[in-house]
Amino acid sequence: MVAEGLHQRALHRSQEALSNGALRPLSTDIETWSGSGDSGFEIRHLVGAPPRHLRAAGPKPNPFLPWDQRLEITGVGDEHVLILNKYPVQLGHMLLISRGWQPQIGWLSLLDWTAVCQVHQDTAGLWFFNSGPQAGASQPHRHLQLLPREAGDRLCPREPWFQNHFINGNRTTPMDSLSNSIRIKLLPATWSGSALVEIYLELCHQSGLGSPEQVGQPLHPYNLLISDRWMGLVKRARDEMHGYSVNALGFAGYLLSTERSDRTWLAANGPEALLRGVVATDP
């Protein structure tokens, strides 16, 4: 790790990567959707053709073996590297990737969570994970993602929804197909790899994903959202609906609209209907 703040280092590296063409932020028009109550969304309408990782296609080369050195921020322990996301949601959008091959659809390990803790000691924010294609993952190589947040920044548009629907892991409003597909656990004030992996595996068990002792990989696709205070797991049924591919950020309130997306349907039904359509509805 480095003494310089990782967020500032990521921003500095981003400027270099913009100059040399390694970083390619998506050009979007942003629409704010207030919804009702605590249901807020930020919808980004993509300008122009989608990048390759958003297009339906056959097998793709692994962009992390090797990773683009122009995007590297720093090594994290012996097994992980922190790099910039080539197509960032915001400048400073980071990926924590495994140095060697580890499948995105496999169980997250103690080594993964220990690396998350090392980064968290320096830079806080919204962590998220997409477990595979049906959960919105665009790459099969193990990677967790971080959107840095400064003190006082809003975590995400739907932060109030999570606060109002879940307290200490218990639901405080009537369950529906969306909230019933989400499990949340509070995190300790001081993170450790062993504490996080225990909470992660407990959420997987509660959601019917099995355990590493029982099966080689989780039984269902899922997303993770992780704040300073809680970890949430969303059990998924499918990747997309009406042309909208939904990953973990969709449940945080960030949606991407492309040329394939049915904006008329979204305007008529609302983003929460989209989320309800892609989650697993079984208890």
Side-chain angles (χ1 to χ4, degrees):
M1 302 294 286
V2 293
E4 180 186 358
L6 290 175
H7 188 194
Q8 292 305 311
R9 180 163 178 152
L11 293 176
H12 177 72
R13 177 69 76 179
S14 295
Q15 293 303 321
E16 294 178 342
L18 284 170
S19 298
N20 60 36
L23 199 67
R24 299 180 183 177
L26 302 180
S27 178
T28 59
D29 294 326
I30 299 177
E31 174 188 358
T32 300
W33 184 289
S34 57
S36 60
D38 51 25
S39 180
F41 289 86
E42 184 178 286
I43 303 173
R44 302 187 176 206
H45 300 290
L46 186 65
V47 177
R52 284 183 300 174
H53 76 289
L54 294 178
R55 302 173 195 164
K60 305 172 186 177
N62 187 339
F64 305 141
L65 281 180
W67 59 89
D68 188 336
Q69 298 294 314
R70 299 172 299 174
L71 300 176
E72 182 175 330
I73 301 168
T74 187
V76 182
D78 295 330
E79 304 295 333
H80 294 80
V81 179
L82 196 64
I83 69 174
L84 296 173
N85 190 319
K86 185 180 185 69
Y87 304 101
V89 171
Q90 65 182 53
L91 288 185
H93 180 175
M94 307 182 205
L95 301 178
L96 180 65
I97 69 172
S98 57
R99 288 183 182 272
W101 167 254
Q102 293 292 335
Q104 188 77 349
I105 60 174
W107 295 102
L108 293 175
S109 70
L110 176 60
L111 287 174
D112 295 319
W113 289 111
T114 299
V116 167
C117 291
Q118 288 182 260
V119 176
H120 178 73
Q121 289 174 1
D122 177 280
T123 299
L126 175 65
W127 285 92
F128 63 99
F129 177 76
N130 309 311
S131 73
Q134 289 182 289
S138 61
Q139 304 297 341
H141 187 115
R142 179 75 48 83
H143 63 286
L144 294 99
Q145 305 190 50
L146 172 63
L147 298 180
R149 296 288 183 264
E150 301 290 350
D153 286 350
R154 180 182 66 169
L155 180 71
C156 62
R158 282 171 61 78
E159 183 177 20
W161 187 90
F162 284 95
Q163 292 175 338
N164 294 336
H165 281 67
F166 303 94
I167 296 177
N168 296 328
N170 297 317
R171 308 185 196 292
T172 60
T173 58
M175 291 188 292
D176 59 17
S177 59
L178 180 55
S179 58
N180 192 49
S181 301
I182 300 174
R183 298 290 184 273
I184 281 186
K185 296 289 291 184
L186 293 184
L187 300 178
T190 301
W191 288 15
S192 70
S194 57
L196 292 191
V197 74
E198 181 178 346
I199 290 170
Y200 160 69
L201 292 176
E202 183 176 351
L203 288 171
C204 289
H205 174 72
Q206 291 177 357
S207 301
L209 273 59
S211 70
E213 293 76 25
Q214 297 171 325
V215 290
Q217 65 186 47
L219 295 172
H220 300 276
Y222 66 94
N223 300 117
L224 292 176
L225 287 170
I226 308 164
S227 76
D228 285 348
R229 298 184 58 249
W230 50 263
M231 181 188 302
L233 187 150
V234 185
K235 189 175 179 181
R236 296 292 299 274
R238 61 189 60 84
D239 164 45
E240 69 169 58
M241 185 176 177
H242 295 285
Y244 289 89
S245 178
V246 180
N247 63 17
L249 287 183
F251 299 91
Y254 299 106
L255 293 172
L256 181 65
S257 171
T258 71
E259 58 191 10
R260 298 176 52 248
S261 304
D262 188 343
R263 299 184 186 182
T264 301
W265 181 91
L266 190 71
N269 295 276
E272 285 225 355
L274 177 66
L275 300 186
R276 288 194 295 269
V278 298
V279 295
T281 57
D282 55 303

